[in-house]
């Protein structure tokens, strides 16, 4: 069944931090491929079933080009900003996408991530030490969630961590849907100018980090240029700390609110990898995982989507599809399912997923081992959730022990 008339206006709000927007369940049951209204009055198709979302993300007839006039956006002006710069990796289609991704994917292999493990553990321990030595209550967002992934991605890319407040504030403005267009443009320009200067320095004297190695690779292969590298740096810097930071906060919150699940984690370390997958599925912090635009007529879920029409894959709905995940509203750390779409699917599946998984496992293991009495220091219903951001999370998480 489908709905040709818009039934829901997106983005929809979560009324419970542990559940997708309530509208999604009705859409999934009654019209799994639905027309929805976007900010500014434009319409697009929304996919709510796990099967349909994965089919769309794996189909080359759907384009990732954010400058296409039919590409669905949650924030007015996003396309104008994108059109001013070269397309980043996340917005490329074949044939450009394959070589660009292969040029950097080697930086995120399981083997390379394993080599980073001792340094990441050191970073986690240092921040837990500082939190325990500081005042109580503490804000876990500032004490642990933000600095750990920020430090890790800075060291990986070769970005000075001393500048973290600068790039965190700009990325926050870019992701906030309520930020005026002028503010988003300013944030993007300032962040790009900063990384433009940084990469210019690395081109003069390449450094032994991801961006420095990309400079050398460009010289060897003759592929790519300065602007390509700036776009890659913007993408990796934002994605590398915002997503993981929000999952640390939300995952900690969920484990504190579900003591039985937390006890499973503390009693059996082997639960940890599956626990991270379940938390990723449960929250699905990037709701549209990602959007596409049809380049030709395509049938999805029995519905004909015309060339030029935008399509949203609603990841939080797909990850709560009861046909795939029984009792999807329950947090079950022993569920054991890795086929969620929290990292997307297909050719554009998240480049840094191995790094994100490792960081989350290390943070949760260390935090709950070293701070066994950790608890919320504010009522759960008073916590400031990021209902205004394209990446769901918490602005603050007061904790004590």
């Amino acid at each position: 069944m489908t709905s040709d008339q818009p039934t829901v206006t997106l983005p929809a709000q979560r009324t419970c931090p542990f559940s997708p927007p309530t509208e999604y369940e009705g859409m999934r049951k009654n019209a799994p491929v639905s027309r929805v209204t976007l900010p500014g009055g434009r319409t697009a198709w929304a996919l709510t079933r796990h099967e349909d979302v994965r089919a769309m993300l794996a189909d080359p007839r759907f384009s990732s080009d954010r400058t296409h006039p039919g590409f669905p956006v949650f924030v007015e002006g996003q396309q104008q900003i994108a059109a001013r710069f070269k397309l980043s990796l996340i917005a490329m289609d074949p044939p450009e996408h394959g070589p660009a991704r292969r040029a950097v994917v080697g930086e995120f292999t399981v083997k390379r991530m394993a080599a980073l493990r001792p340094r990441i553990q050191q970073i986690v321990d240092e921040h837990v030490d500082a939190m325990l030595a500081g005042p109580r209550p503490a804000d876990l967002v500032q004490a642990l969630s933000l600095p750990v992934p920020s430090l890790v991605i800075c060291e990986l890319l070769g970005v000075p961590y001393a500048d973290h407040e600068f790039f965190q504030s700009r990325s926050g403005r870019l992701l906030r849907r309520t930020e005026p267009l002028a503010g988003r443009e300013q944030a993007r320009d300032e962040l790009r100018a900063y990384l433009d200067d940084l990469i210019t320095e690395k081109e003069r004297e390449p450094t032994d980090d991801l961006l420095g190695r990309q400079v050398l690779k460009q010289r060897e292969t003759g592929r790519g240029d300065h602007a390509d590298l700036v776009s890659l740096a913007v993408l990796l810097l934002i994605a590398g700390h915002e997503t993981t930071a929000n999952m640390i906060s939300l995952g900690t919150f969920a484990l504190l609110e579900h003591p039985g699940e937390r006890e499973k984690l503390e009693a059996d370390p082997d639960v940890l990898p599956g626990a991270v997958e379940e938390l990723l599925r449960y929250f699905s912090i990037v709701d549209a995982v990602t959007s596409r635009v049809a380049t030709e007529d395509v049938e999805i879920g029995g519905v004909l989507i015309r060339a030029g029409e935008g399509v949203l894959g609603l990841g939080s709905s797909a990850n709560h599809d009861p046909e795939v995940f029984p009792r999807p509203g329950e947090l079950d750390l022993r569920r054991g399912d890795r086929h969620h779409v929290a990292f997307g699917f297909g050719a554009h599946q998240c480049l840094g997923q191995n790094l994100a998984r490792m960081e989350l496992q290390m943070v949760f293991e260390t935090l709950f081992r070293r701070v066994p009495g950790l608890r919320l220091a504010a009522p759960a219903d008073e916590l400031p959730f990021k209902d205004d951001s394209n990446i769901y999370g918490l602005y603050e998480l007061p904790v004590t022990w």
Side-chain angles (χ1 to χ4, degrees):
M1 185 176 180
T2 183
S3 173
D4 290 323
Q5 296 300 315
T7 55
V8 173
T9 298
L10 297 182
Q13 299 295 321
R14 305 188 190 209
T15 56
C16 169
F18 298 131
S19 304
T22 54
E23 295 92 334
Y24 292 177
E25 183 176 2
M27 292 166 66
R28 195 172 55 242
K29 286 181 178 178
N30 303 315
V33 182
S34 297
R35 281 274 194 186
V36 293
T37 301
L38 302 176
R42 295 169 57 185
T43 63
W45 292 101
L47 311 180
T48 54
R49 293 187 302 204
H50 185 269
E51 177 184 4
D52 294 339
V53 170
R54 281 169 61 111
M56 183 268 286
L57 293 176
D59 193 323
R61 294 172 295 177
F62 290 99
S63 169
S64 298
D65 184 357
R66 279 141 176 79
T67 65
H68 190 290
F71 194 90
V73 296
F74 282 167
V75 180
E76 283 299 292
Q78 183 175 323
Q79 287 170 310
Q80 294 95 305
I81 295 175
R84 293 172 50 207
F85 307 105
K86 294 193 73 170
L87 292 176
S88 67
L89 186 64
I90 199 173
M92 290 180 182
D93 293 324
E96 293 79 14
H97 176 257
R101 184 178 174 98
R102 287 192 293 272
V104 72
V105 72
E107 298 283 351
F108 295 95
T109 62
V110 172
K111 182 178 180 180
R112 188 176 283 275
M113 293 303 99
L116 293 175
R117 181 176 286 273
R119 175 57 182 145
I120 295 175
Q121 186 63 60
Q122 181 184 10
I123 291 171
V124 174
D125 280 327
E126 287 173 352
H127 284 82
V128 172
D129 286 342
M131 186 181 79
L132 291 174
R136 283 180 275 181
D139 175 13
L140 193 84
V141 172
Q142 297 301 322
L144 193 68
S145 303
L146 267 176
V148 168
S150 294
L151 257 171
V152 171
I153 198 65
C154 282
E155 293 192 6
L156 183 66
L157 296 179
V159 174
Y161 181 69
D163 298 330
H164 70 280
E165 291 185 4
F166 169 84
F167 64 74
Q168 284 171 1
S169 68
R170 272 61 178 183
S171 63
R173 289 167 64 189
L174 282 168
L175 294 168
R176 199 158 45 242
R177 294 192 294 262
T178 54
E179 182 74 26
L181 176 58
R184 290 170 57 79
E185 288 183 320
Q186 181 184 19
R188 170 69 69 167
D189 289 348
E190 290 175 352
L191 187 57
R192 286 190 69 91
Y194 168 80
L195 289 167
D196 190 302
D197 290 343
L198 182 68
I199 289 169
T200 298
E201 293 177 14
K202 292 180 184 294
E203 288 168 340
R204 284 196 293 262
E205 189 174 345
T207 45
D208 187 18
D209 47 55
L210 187 151
L211 294 178
R213 289 189 289 271
Q214 288 297 303
V215 167
L216 294 175
K217 188 172 289 188
Q218 284 187 353
R219 291 178 183 172
E220 292 169 2
T221 63
R223 291 200 188 105
D225 58 19
H226 179 87
D228 288 329
L229 201 46
V230 173
S231 293
L232 177 67
V234 171
L235 172 65
L236 294 180
L237 186 59
I238 294 175
H241 78 272
E242 282 284 352
T243 50
T244 307
N246 284 303
M247 271 309 306
I248 291 172
S249 299
L250 289 170
T252 301
F253 168 65
L255 292 169
L256 293 178
E257 287 292 280
H258 294 80
E261 295 304 299
R262 175 181 167 179
E263 287 170 7
K264 291 181 187 177
L265 194 63
E266 293 172 334
D268 182 4
D270 291 340
V271 171
L272 192 57
V276 166
E277 301 302 324
E278 173 68 349
L279 289 166
L280 288 163
R281 178 203 71 84
Y282 192 58
F283 283 111
S284 303
I285 62 173
V286 182
D287 201 12
V289 287
T290 55
S291 311
R292 298 284 189 270
V293 59
T295 57
E296 56 184 272
D297 293 357
V298 188
E299 185 175 297
I300 290 281
V303 176
L304 183 63
I305 296 172
R306 299 287 185 184
E309 293 182 329
V311 186
L312 298 157
L314 299 180
S316 60
S317 176
N319 285 339
H320 283 251
D321 186 342
E323 295 297 317
V324 180
F325 306 100
R327 306 176 314 281
E330 294 181 18
L331 181 68
D332 180 2
L333 301 190
R334 294 187 183 275
R335 186 182 296 272
D337 287 320
R338 274 188 65 149
H339 56 294
H340 56 74
V341 292
F343 289 121
F345 187 69
H348 281 276
Q349 193 169 33
C350 177
L351 195 64
Q353 59 184 292
N354 291 328
L355 177 60
R357 285 186 168 105
M358 184 171 67
E359 286 184 75
L360 292 169
Q361 290 178 25
M362 296 175 75
V363 166
F364 294 140
E365 188 281 328
T366 303
L367 180 64
F368 289 108
R369 170 173 49 82
R370 296 193 53 195
V371 197
L374 191 72
R375 63 184 186 276
L376 291 179
D381 59 1
E382 294 180 7
L383 296 177
F385 290 92
K386 292 185 174 181
D387 295 311
D388 60 345
S389 176
N390 286 332
I391 298 179
Y392 192 61
L394 280 156
Y395 285 109
E396 296 176 15
L397 184 59
V399 293
T400 191
W401 52 93

